[in-house]
């Protein structure tokens, strides 16, 4: 009789413990769901106050103030996002994944999860790794605008200024900026007519690398310079206030990198280098009061990556973005979710331990009774 009673007691203990286990798991799941719903609600509420300082960095949406652009007679607004260094896989121009949502007559939103790279963007923090362009199905569009992870929740607006299109000088683009992130304005580049436009540098670029790329672009593989472009070198150096020696060092770094990657032969690299040495060797240095550069120093310039020294990044690519997450709300949401999961695992552990102790006690009493 005692064995039967103890068996029933053991069975009851196991049933009650299983019930406690299920209840604990259910509570944890409810907590996770509540956390997710809160995140969604916060994301939706950001549409009401887009551009408000308290909403910057919230959710997974960015916004466009279409009223500031003055666009008319459009039916769709699109958002094109890509990594400034040209790497990665991103949606194509004005495809379904780039369609924005109308929040009001004046405001449209774009959910960056549609890019397939939301986590990467969120984790970028303050690194200016991305470009964004809002456009309409009428052909209107804004100029390339730099974006970082902290821009999530912020609003892009049109400033009213016009910028020369970097590739086609016959066209002008509408300048845009972020309401709460002045460091992420129009992308700074040198145009095809040797003008400097924009204010925001993408991570992995500096004023020095802009001119280095410019010279590499306008010196052909056989070492012939497009003098209509390269004759503007001194003027660009003066405007950018950079050292010709620093530019040559960066040119050497880039050429060595091209050869290592086998995207350029050593012969082509040597011809480009010799021509650019001649161009920079005839310049003056605004960082030294307009002093004439030393040609021997230019010829023997050490290969240096100016972008790495300035930004702590060799190329501004995604490999650097993961280590600098600082303040985006996605991190806060993840932390909250992880804390619920951690609590669930702790509860399950103690419930399981209780079951094992109870079973051992019953077994001990049964064995003692038998003896």
């Amino acid at each position: 009789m005692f064995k039967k009673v103890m068996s029933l007691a053991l069975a009851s203990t196991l049933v009650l413990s299983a019930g406690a286990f299920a209840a604990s798991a259910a509570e944890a799941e409810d907590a996770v769901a509540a956390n997710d719903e809160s995140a969604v609600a916060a994301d939706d509420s950001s549409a009401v106050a887009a551009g408000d300082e308290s909403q910057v960095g919230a959710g997974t949406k960015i916004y466009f103030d279409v009223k500031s652009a003055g666009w008319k007679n459009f039916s769709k607004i699109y958002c094109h996002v890509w990594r400034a260094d040209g790497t990665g896989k991103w949606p194509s121009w004005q495809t379904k994944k780039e369609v924005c949502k109308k929040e009001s007559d004046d405001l449209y939103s774009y959910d960056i999860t549609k890019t397939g790279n939301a986590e990467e963007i969120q984790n970028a923090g303050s690194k200016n790794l991305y470009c964004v362009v809002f456009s309409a199905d009428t052909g209107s569009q804004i100029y390339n605008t730099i974006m970082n992870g902290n821009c999530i929740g912020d609003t892009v607006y049109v400033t009213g200024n016009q910028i020369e299109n970097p590739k086609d000088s016959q066209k002008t683009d509408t300048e845009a900026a972020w309401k709460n992130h002045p460091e992420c304005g129009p992308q700074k580049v040198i145009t095809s007519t040797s003008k400097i436009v924009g204010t925001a540098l993408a991570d992995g670029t500096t004023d020095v690398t802009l001119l280095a790329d410019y010279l590499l672009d306008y010196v052909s593989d056989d070492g012939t310079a497009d003098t209509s472009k390269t004759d503007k070198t001194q003027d660009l150096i003066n405007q950018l206030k950079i050292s010709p020696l620093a530019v040559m060092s960066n040119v050497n770094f880039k050429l060595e990198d091209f050869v290592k990657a086998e995207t350029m032969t050593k012969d082509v690299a040597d011809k480009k280098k010799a021509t650019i040495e001649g161009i920079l060797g005839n310049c003056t240095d605004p960082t030294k009061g307009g002093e004439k550069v030393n040609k021997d120093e230019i010829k023997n310039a050490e290969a240096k990556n100016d972008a790495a020294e300035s930004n702590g990044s060799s190329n501004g690519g995604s490999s650097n973005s993961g280590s600098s997450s600082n303040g985006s709300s996605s991190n806060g949401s993840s932390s909250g979710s992880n804390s619920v999961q951690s609590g669930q695992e702790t509860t399950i552990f103690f419930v399981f331990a209780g079951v094992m102790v109870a079973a051992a006690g019953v077994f001990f009493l049964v064995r003692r009774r038998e003896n």
Side-chain angles (χ1 to χ4, degrees), residues 242-354:
I242 54 178
S243 162
L245 181 59
V247 175
M248 193 66 233
S249 292
N250 194 243
V251 166
N252 288 339
F253 172 82
K254 289 176 180 292
L255 288 173
E256 287 185 4
D257 210 34
F258 293 149
V259 173
K260 287 178 183 177
E262 298 184 349
T263 57
M264 184 182 291
T265 65
K266 181 69 164 54
D267 180 58
V268 168
D270 288 343
K271 288 177 179 177
K272 281 181 173 282
K273 178 180 178 179
T275 300
I276 295 173
E277 282 177 357
I279 295 168
L280 293 172
N282 289 314
C283 292
T284 57
D285 189 345
T287 67
K288 295 182 178 180
E291 178 183 308
K292 187 77 174 176
V293 300
N294 185 313
K295 291 187 178 183
D296 287 336
E297 288 184 350
I298 292 291
K299 189 173 182 179
N300 298 309
E302 181 184 354
K304 288 183 181 179
N305 184 6
D306 188 76
E309 294 177 5
S310 300
N311 300 327
S313 164
S314 61
N315 56 20
S318 59
S319 61
N320 303 307
S321 65
S323 62
S324 63
S325 173
N326 58 359
S328 73
S329 67
S330 64
N331 298 327
S333 297
S334 296
S335 297
S337 176
N338 289 339
S339 66
V340 172
Q341 294 292 342
S342 177
Q344 178 182 347
E345 291 166 2
T346 302
T347 303
I348 290 171
F349 173 80
F350 283 114
V351 169
F352 182 72

Side-chain angles (χ1 to χ4, degrees), residues 80 121 223 238 270 359:
H80 187 59
I121 297 172
N238 291 340
D270 288 343

Side-chain angles (χ1 to χ4, degrees), residues 93-340:
W93 178 259
Q94 290 195 346
T95 51
K96 186 176 180 180
K97 287 185 177 181
E98 295 197 336
V99 176
C100 296
K101 177 184 176 182
K102 183 178 180 179
E103 301 288 352
S104 69
D105 288 341
D106 300 336
L107 192 69
Y108 279 73
S109 68
Y110 181 69
D111 193 330
I112 62 169
T113 58
K114 290 182 177 181
T115 67
N117 298 288
E119 184 177 356
E120 175 192 318
I121 297 172
Q122 291 169 323
N123 289 339
S126 61
K127 286 185 175 292
N128 294 350
L129 297 175
Y130 309 95
C131 287
V132 58
V133 167
F134 284 94
S135 64
D137 54 4
T138 57
S140 298
Q141 68 180 72
I142 63 171
Y143 175 69
N144 297 1
T145 306
I146 293 294
M147 181 178 79
N148 62 36
N150 294 337
C151 290
I152 299 171
D154 203 355
T155 302
V156 172
Y157 70 98
V158 170
T159 65
N161 298 326
Q162 293 295 310
I163 290 180
E164 178 185 309
N165 184 288
K167 301 297 182 183
D168 186 350
S169 61
Q170 301 302 310
K171 298 179 180 179
T172 57
D173 294 332
T174 302
E175 183 186 76
W178 296 89
K179 286 189 175 181
N180 297 292
H181 288 85
E183 80 280 11
C184 294
Q187 184 180 21
K188 190 174 186 179
V189 298
I190 302 175
T191 71
S192 59
T193 59
S194 309
K195 290 186 178 68
I196 300 168
V197 299
T199 58
L201 287 163
D203 266 40
T205 62
T206 66
D207 288 341
V208 168
T209 69
L210 289 184
L211 187 55
D213 287 333
Y214 176 85
L215 291 172
L216 288 167
D217 284 343
Y218 292 114
V219 173
S220 66
D221 288 354
D222 64 1
T224 302
D226 180 347
T227 54
S228 67
K229 313 295 184 184
T230 59
D231 283 353
K232 307 287 180 61
T233 300
Q234 181 66 68
D235 186 44
L236 290 169
I237 285 174
N238 291 340
Q239 289 183 63
L240 294 169
K241 296 180 176 60
I242 54 178
S243 162
L245 181 59
V247 175
M248 193 66 233
S249 292
N250 194 243
V251 166
N252 288 339
F253 172 82
K254 289 176 180 292
L255 288 173
E256 287 185 4
D257 210 34
F258 293 149
V259 173
K260 287 178 183 177
E262 298 184 349
T263 57
M264 184 182 291
T265 65
K266 181 69 164 54
D267 180 58
V268 168
D270 288 343
K271 288 177 179 177
K272 281 181 173 282
K273 178 180 178 179
T275 300
I276 295 173
E277 282 177 357
I279 295 168
L280 293 172
N282 289 314
C283 292
T284 57
D285 189 345
T287 67
K288 295 182 178 180
E291 178 183 308
K292 187 77 174 176
V293 300
N294 185 313
K295 291 187 178 183
D296 287 336
E297 288 184 350
I298 292 291
K299 189 173 182 179
N300 298 309
E302 181 184 354
K304 288 183 181 179
N305 184 6
D306 188 76
E309 294 177 5
S310 300
N311 300 327
S313 164
S314 61
N315 56 20
S318 59
S319 61
N320 303 307
S321 65
S323 62
S324 63
S325 173
N326 58 359
S328 73
S329 67
S330 64
N331 298 327
S333 297
S334 296
S335 297
S337 176
N338 289 339
S339 66
V340 172

Side-chain angles (χ1 to χ4, degrees), residues 45-68:
S45 66
S46 63
V48 178
D52 186 305
E53 196 73 41
S54 63
Q55 293 298 331
V56 175
T60 56
K61 290 182 180 180
I62 55 177
Y63 299 86
F64 179 57
D65 181 354
V66 72
K67 183 180 179 180
S68 68

